[in-house]
Amino acid sequence: MNPATREIADDAATEASDALALTESISALSTGTFLTVHGTLKHDERVKLGGTEIKIGSLDIAAAADPETPIASDSGMDKRMDWRFIDLRQRRNNLIFRVQTTLEHAMRTYWVDRDYIELHTPKLMSSPSESNAELFSMEYFGDQTAYLAQSPQHYKQMAQASGFGKIFEIGDVFRADPSFTSRHATEFTSVDAEISWIDSHEDVAAMQEELLATAIAAVKEKHGAEIAELFGIEVTVPSLPFPRIPLAEAHDIIAARGYQTPRTDGDLDPEGERQISAHVAETFGHQFVFITDYHAGIRPFYHMRDEKTGLTKSYDLLFQGVEITTGAQREHRIDVLEAQAVEKGLALEGLEHYLDFFRYGVPPHGGFGMGLARVLMLLLGESSIREVTFLFRGPTRLAP
Amino acid sequence: MNPATREIADDAATEASDALALTESISALSTGTFLTVHGTLKHDERVKLGGTEIKIGSLDIAAAADPETPIASDSGMDKRMDWRFIDLRQRRNNLIFRVQTTLEHAMRTYWVDRDYIELHTPKLMSSPSESNAELFSMEYFGDQTAYLAQSPQHYKQMAQASGFGKIFEIGDVFRADPSFTSRHATEFTSVDAEISWIDSHEDVAAMQEELLATAIAAVKEKHGAEIAELFGIEVTVPSLPFPRIPLAEAHDIIAARGYQTPRTDGDLDPEGERQISAHVAETFGHQFVFITDYHAGIRPFYHMRDEKTGLTKSYDLLFQGVEITTGAQREHRIDVLEAQAVEKGLALEGLEHYLDFFRYGVPPHGGFGMGLARVLMLLLGESSIREVTFLFRGPTRLAP
C-alpha cells in the first residue's frame, strides 16, 4: 500500500474501533441515564420521530442510572406512587403538568387582565376556617395551637372588608379527611376567587364559567393534539352560558330517570351528580352544569339566603358528573350572619375574628373554591386525582 | 300664587327637604361604610380627584360600619396587625398587593413563555425538607408524624430526576423560627425555580437576574407613578448583568471600609451585607449583587463543590443590602452527595427518600429560592416584611 492508502485504511480501522467502543458503551447504559450526545443530525425518511436520525459522535454521561428500575409503566398505583419520580418520566405524566401549567396561567391571566389582586392567605390559623371536622392541629410555640387552613374562606372574605374588590388565590389547603375515594386528598391545590358588589351568586357563576371556558380553550390550543394522542381525549371548549338547574328540579329529573338518591338531607349523592350530568349531556350536549338553589340545611351558615324563597344564593358546579366547585353569595350583614351561625349551633366565640370582619363595613360579595386536581382529572379522563397530583397526600401517603 | 307657581314652590320645598334628609343620612354614616351612590357626574375645576363632582340623587347603604374604628393609620404596628383588615383599606396597603400581583404575574409569564412547568409540591412531609431545626410537626392519622415543608427543595430537585427540565413554584413554606426580626416569619411565600442541564450556578444566576429585571420593569410600568406618590420611591429597573463578587473579595472590600464582621464561620452578617451592598451602589450604581463562591462549611450538603477550589457553586443575592435568595448548582452524583451528607454529620436514613431521587439518573441541575415579601419590602422601601404580608405569621402572631 502506498502511504496515502495506508492512512485511509488506518482511519477506517480507528473509526471502526471507535464505533465499537461507542456501541459497547451504549449497550452498557441503563434506562433513566441522563446523557449529552454530540453528533450530526441526518434526515432519513425511514426513521420515526420526524424523520431525523442522530449520527453519534460522542456521548457524555451526566448521571448513570441504577439498572434495576423499581417500577414499570404498568405497575400498580401504590407502587408507582412510591416511586413517583420515575413514574413522572412517562410522557403522559409529563403532559399532565404542562396542561396544569397552561390551565393555571390562563386563569391567572384572565383575572390579572381584569384587575384582580392575587392573595397568599395564611395556612396557619388560630381557629378552624371551616368546621371542627377534618382539621389538622399542631403545637405552636409552646402553649398555642395552630390549625391548618381547610380553605382560604375567611381570608378571601376579609379582603372584601379591606376593599380589595376582586381577588384570587391558587394555593394549598389541608383536610384531615380519612376517606380513600378517587376524589379526596389530605392536601390539595384550591383555586379560589371572591368578588365584591355582586347582586347574587349568579355574578360569581358568570365569572367562573367564562374563566373555565377561557382556560380550557388555552389548554386545547396548546396541548389539544398531544392530549388526543396520549390520553385519547378530544378537549371540548365549553359553550357559554353553562346550563343551570335548580336542585329541586334536578331531583325530579333524576327521579324520572329512575334513580332515587339514598341521602335524606336533600343533597345529591355522587350517583345523583352523575345522573344529572348525563341528563345535561344528552339534553344540552354540555359537560358542565350549575346546580342552584340549595336549601339552607345543607349549606354553611355564611351562605346568603334568598329573601323570598329562603333558599341559599349558592351553586355547585358539576363537570362530567363530578362536583368541582361550591360557589355562593356570602351573608355580609353581621346581624343576619350571627343569627345563621347560632341557628347552625355554632359558638360565636370561636368565630370571633371572622365575625369582626363584618362589623366595620363590607360590601355584598361572593366567590367560589375549585379543586384543581379534580378539573385536571376530568379534563384528561383520568380515574383518580392521584394520577394528576404531583405528589399525592392521603391518610396512608406522606412520602416520598 | 297661580297653580303653576305653587307647583314649582312645592317642588322646591320637596327638593330642599329631600336634600336635608340626604345630608342627615350622610352625616350619620361611619367611616368604612360601603354604599352605592346614584347621581350625576359633574365637571368642576375646583374639585380635586380629577375635577369631577357627584350630584347625589340617592344613597343605598350596603353595610353600615361600627362608628368606633379600633385603629387609625398611625396606630402601632401590632395594633394594626390585630385589625389588619381595616389597616389594608389604606391606599398604600392596597397598592402593595397590586404590586405583588404584577410582580408575580410577570415572573410566571417569563417562565411560562420559556416552557417551565409550574409545580405545587406537598407541604406535608414524612421527613424534614431542610434540617431538624425550625421544624413544625404534627400528628398525622394516629401513629404517623407529619412535618411542614421548610422549602420545596427536595421536590423541585425530584422534578429534575423526573425529567421536567425547568420548573417553578410560588407557594407557602413554614419555619418554626423563634426570631422577631423584620425579615423573618413562621410562614411565608417562597418563589422557587430549578433547571436542568446547567454548567454551573452561573446559569441559575443568569436566569434569576433576567427574571427580576423583567418583573421589576413590569411593576414600574404599571405602578411606577403610584409608588412614587404613595411610597416616595422611584422604582429602578436593574441593568444586566448584576455585579458578582466572590465572598473572599467581599470580605476584603468590607474590611477596607473599616467593618469587621463578628461571625467566625466566614459568612457575612447583616451589617456585612449592608456594607458590601453600599460598596456596590457606590461603585457600580447597582441595587443588586451576587455574592459567590461560599465555602462548603457554611452551605448545605447538597450544594455542588468546584473541583479545583473546593468552594461551593452557589450564590447569595443581595438587594439593597438584604439577602433575598440562595441559589446553587446541586450535587447530583449520588456517591458524592452521600459523602457530603456524611461529612456534615447527617444520618443517611433520614434522607432516604431524597437520596433515592439520585439513584436512577438525574441531569446536572440547580435553582434558587427567594422570599417574596423581602423583595416587596425592599422594592417599596418598607421597614418590615410584616407591612407587605397580607396576614403576617410569627411566634406570637396567629390571628386574625
Side-chain angles (χ1 to χ4, degrees):
Chain A
M1 280 192 271
N2 69 32
T5 314
R6 182 184 303 274
E7 202 166 87
I8 290 166
D10 282 358
D11 280 1
T14 311
E15 201 174 291
S17 115
D18 283 358
L20 184 65
L22 187 64
T23 306
E24 277 171 359
S25 64
I26 291 174
S27 304
L29 294 174
S30 324
T31 307
T33 297
F34 285 81
L35 47 81
T36 310
V37 171
H38 300 272
T40 321
L41 214 57
K42 268 183 59 182
H43 183 73
D44 187 336
E45 283 299 345
R46 295 163 303 177
V47 178
K48 283 184 183 175
L49 297 170
T52 50
E53 187 186 38
I54 300 166
K55 192 168 151 52
I56 298 176
S58 67
L59 276 184
D60 284 347
I61 295 167
D66 193 319
E68 294 285 327
T69 307
I71 55 159
S73 63
D74 61 350
S75 297
M77 186 187 282
D78 225 49
K79 191 90 178 158
R80 287 194 289 110
M81 297 291 118
D82 284 343
W83 298 96
R84 181 64 164 163
F85 68 99
I86 296 174
D87 186 45
L88 288 172
R89 290 176 177 175
Q90 295 184 59
R91 259 185 84 202
R92 69 200 310 272
N93 284 343
N94 184 285
L95 178 57
I96 289 168
F97 296 94
R98 286 187 286 120
V99 168
Q100 177 177 284
T101 303
T102 301
L103 192 74
E104 282 186 58
H105 197 63
M107 289 193 288
R108 288 202 191 88
T109 302
Y110 173 93
W111 283 318
V112 168
D113 285 351
R114 285 158 183 80
D115 288 326
Y116 282 61
I117 293 177
E118 176 164 9
L119 290 189
H120 299 285
T121 63
K123 306 310 165 201
L124 298 175
M125 303 174 68
S126 62
S127 54
S129 52
E130 287 284 339
S131 74
N132 289 310
E134 305 184 350
L135 190 61
F136 286 116
S137 67
M138 52 197 264
E139 205 178 89
Y140 189 79
F141 293 96
D143 58 338
Q144 302 167 83
T145 300
Y147 301 96
L148 289 184
Q150 299 150 300
S151 86
Q153 185 64 37
H154 284 198
Y155 300 132
K156 61 183 188 165
Q157 289 195 254
M158 180 187 118
Q160 310 310 309
S162 298
F164 277 32
K166 294 180 285 189
I167 64 94
F168 70 93
E169 175 168 17
I170 300 182
D172 258 27
V173 295
F174 305 88
R175 304 271 170 96
D177 185 340
S179 60
F180 286 89
T181 81
S182 61
R183 306 178 313 282
H184 291 91
T186 55
E187 175 180 0
F188 61 92
T189 305
S190 182
V191 177
D192 281 89
E194 196 82 15
I195 50 178
S196 279
W197 299 110
I198 60 172
D199 291 321
S200 77
H201 58 293
E202 181 51 44
D203 292 327
V204 181
M207 179 263 283
Q208 191 178 5
E209 64 188 358
E210 196 177 47
L211 174 83
L212 279 167
T214 304
I216 292 171
V219 167
K220 187 179 177 73
E221 190 189 331
K222 193 159 182 180
H223 309 288
E226 216 178 338
I227 291 171
E229 180 199 343
L230 297 177
F231 291 88
I233 296 260
E234 193 65 45
V235 175
T236 306
V237 179
S239 60
L240 297 180
F242 295 178
R244 273 102 166 129
I245 301 178
L247 181 62
E249 199 181 309
H251 278 296
D252 292 345
I253 292 166
I254 293 167
R257 292 173 67 90
Y259 180 71
Q260 200 62 48
T261 171
R263 290 184 69 142
T264 53
D265 61 2
D267 205 351
L268 294 173
D269 68 330
E271 178 56 27
E273 292 174 345
R274 280 188 286 275
Q275 289 284 341
I276 193 68
S277 288
H279 163 81
V280 168
E282 290 157 19
T283 315
F284 306 107
H286 212 287
Q287 295 183 327
F288 290 89
V289 59
F290 287 112
I291 307 296
T292 63
D293 300 278
Y294 284 75
H295 61 84
I298 48 176
R299 292 308 221 189
F301 76 96
Y302 54 75
H303 282 196
M304 185 179 269
R305 300 174 190 175
D306 187 274
E307 279 177 32
K308 291 191 197 104
T309 64
L311 298 170
T312 61
K313 297 170 84 168
S314 75
Y315 64 80
D316 273 8
L317 176 58
L318 311 185
F319 178 27
Q320 299 184 56
V322 178
E323 183 210 316
I324 58 169
T325 286
T326 296
Q329 175 161 7
R330 322 303 184 181
E331 181 52 68
H332 64 280
R333 295 161 298 185
I334 181 66
D335 48 338
V336 183
L337 187 62
E338 286 185 337
Q340 290 183 181
V342 169
E343 182 203 295
K344 289 267 183 191
L346 296 171
L348 296 186
E349 300 82 59
L351 294 166
E352 182 190 6
H353 291 301
Y354 176 70
L355 294 170
D356 274 347
F357 300 157
F358 301 88
R359 295 191 202 286
Y360 301 92
V362 57
H365 63 279
F368 71 81
M370 177 167 75
L372 180 61
R374 288 195 184 185
V375 177
L376 266 177
M377 168 182 83
L378 297 161
L379 198 60
L380 298 174
E382 287 293 276
S383 58
S384 167
I385 58 168
R386 288 167 173 77
E387 296 284 0
V388 298
T389 304
F390 182 67
L391 280 166
F392 174 77
R393 290 295 182 250
T396 58
R397 170 67 63 191
L398 255 182
Chain B
M1 281 193 272
N2 70 32
T5 314
R6 182 186 302 275
E7 201 165 89
I8 289 165
D10 281 358
D11 280 1
T14 309
E15 201 173 292
S17 115
D18 282 357
L20 183 67
L22 188 62
T23 305
E24 276 170 0
S25 65
I26 290 173
S27 305
L29 292 175
S30 323
T31 307
T33 298
F34 285 80
L35 47 80
T36 309
V37 171
H38 299 270
T40 321
L41 213 56
K42 268 184 59 181
H43 183 73
D44 187 335
E45 283 299 345
R46 296 163 303 178
V47 177
K48 284 184 182 174
L49 297 170
T52 49
E53 186 186 37
I54 300 166
K55 191 169 153 52
I56 298 176
S58 67
L59 278 184
D60 284 346
I61 295 167
D66 193 320
E68 294 286 327
T69 306
I71 56 160
S73 63
D74 61 349
S75 297
M77 187 188 283
D78 226 47
K79 189 93 179 156
R80 287 193 290 110
M81 296 291 117
D82 284 343
W83 298 95
R84 181 64 164 162
F85 68 99
I86 295 174
D87 186 46
L88 288 173
R89 289 177 177 176
Q90 295 184 59
R91 259 185 83 202
R92 70 200 307 273
N93 284 343
N94 184 285
L95 178 58
I96 290 168
F97 296 94
R98 287 187 287 120
V99 168
Q100 176 177 283
T101 303
T102 301
L103 192 74
E104 282 186 57
H105 198 64
M107 289 195 288
R108 289 203 190 89
T109 301
Y110 173 93
W111 283 319
V112 169
D113 285 351
R114 285 158 183 80
D115 288 327
Y116 281 62
I117 293 177
E118 176 164 10
L119 290 190
H120 300 285
T121 64
K123 306 310 165 200
L124 298 175
M125 303 173 68
S126 62
S127 55
S129 52
E130 287 285 339
S131 73
N132 289 309
E134 304 184 351
L135 190 60
F136 286 117
S137 67
M138 53 197 263
E139 204 178 89
Y140 190 79
F141 294 96
D143 59 337
Q144 302 168 85
T145 300
Y147 301 96
L148 289 185
Q150 299 151 302
S151 86
Q153 185 64 36
H154 284 197
Y155 300 132
K156 62 183 187 163
Q157 289 195 253
M158 181 187 118
Q160 310 309 309
S162 299
F164 276 31
K166 295 180 285 187
I167 65 93
F168 70 93
E169 174 167 16
I170 301 182
D172 259 27
V173 295
F174 305 88
R175 305 270 170 98
D177 185 341
S179 60
F180 287 89
T181 82
S182 61
R183 307 178 313 284
H184 291 92
T186 54
E187 175 179 0
F188 61 93
T189 305
S190 183
V191 178
D192 281 271
E194 195 82 14
I195 50 179
S196 278
W197 298 110
I198 61 172
D199 291 322
S200 77
H201 57 294
E202 182 49 45
D203 293 325
V204 181
M207 179 263 282
Q208 191 179 5
E209 64 188 359
E210 196 177 46
L211 175 82
L212 280 166
T214 305
I216 292 171
V219 166
K220 188 181 176 73
E221 190 189 330
K222 192 160 183 180
H223 309 289
E226 215 178 340
I227 291 171
E229 181 199 343
L230 297 177
F231 290 88
I233 297 259
E234 193 64 45
V235 175
T236 306
V237 179
S239 60
L240 298 180
F242 296 177
R244 272 102 168 130
I245 301 178
L247 181 62
E249 198 182 307
H251 278 295
D252 292 344
I253 292 166
I254 293 167
R257 293 173 67 91
Y259 180 71
Q260 200 62 47
T261 170
R263 290 184 68 142
T264 53
D265 61 2
D267 205 350
L268 294 173
D269 68 328
E271 178 56 26
E273 292 175 345
R274 279 187 288 273
Q275 289 284 341
I276 193 68
S277 289
H279 163 80
V280 168
E282 290 157 19
T283 315
F284 306 107
H286 213 288
Q287 296 182 326
F288 290 89
V289 58
F290 287 112
I291 308 297
T292 63
D293 301 280
Y294 285 75
H295 60 84
I298 48 176
R299 291 308 222 191
F301 75 97
Y302 54 76
H303 281 196
M304 185 179 269
R305 300 173 190 176
D306 186 274
E307 278 177 33
K308 292 189 197 104
T309 64
L311 298 171
T312 60
K313 298 171 84 168
S314 76
Y315 65 79
D316 272 8
L317 176 58
L318 311 184
F319 178 27
Q320 298 185 59
V322 178
E323 183 211 315
I324 58 168
T325 286
T326 296
Q329 175 161 8
R330 323 301 184 182
E331 182 52 68
H332 65 279
R333 296 160 298 186
I334 181 67
D335 48 337
V336 184
L337 187 62
E338 286 184 338
Q340 290 183 181
V342 169
E343 184 202 294
K344 290 268 182 189
L346 297 171
L348 296 186
E349 300 81 62
L351 294 166
E352 181 191 7
H353 290 301
Y354 175 70
L355 293 170
D356 274 347
F357 301 157
F358 302 87
R359 295 191 202 286
Y360 301 91
V362 57
H365 63 279
F368 71 82
M370 177 169 73
L372 180 61
R374 288 195 183 184
V375 177
L376 265 178
M377 170 182 80
L378 297 160
L379 197 61
L380 298 175
E382 287 293 276
S383 59
S384 168
I385 58 169
R386 289 167 174 76
E387 296 285 359
V388 299
T389 304
F390 182 68
L391 280 165
F392 174 76
R393 290 293 182 252
T396 57
R397 171 65 64 192
L398 256 181

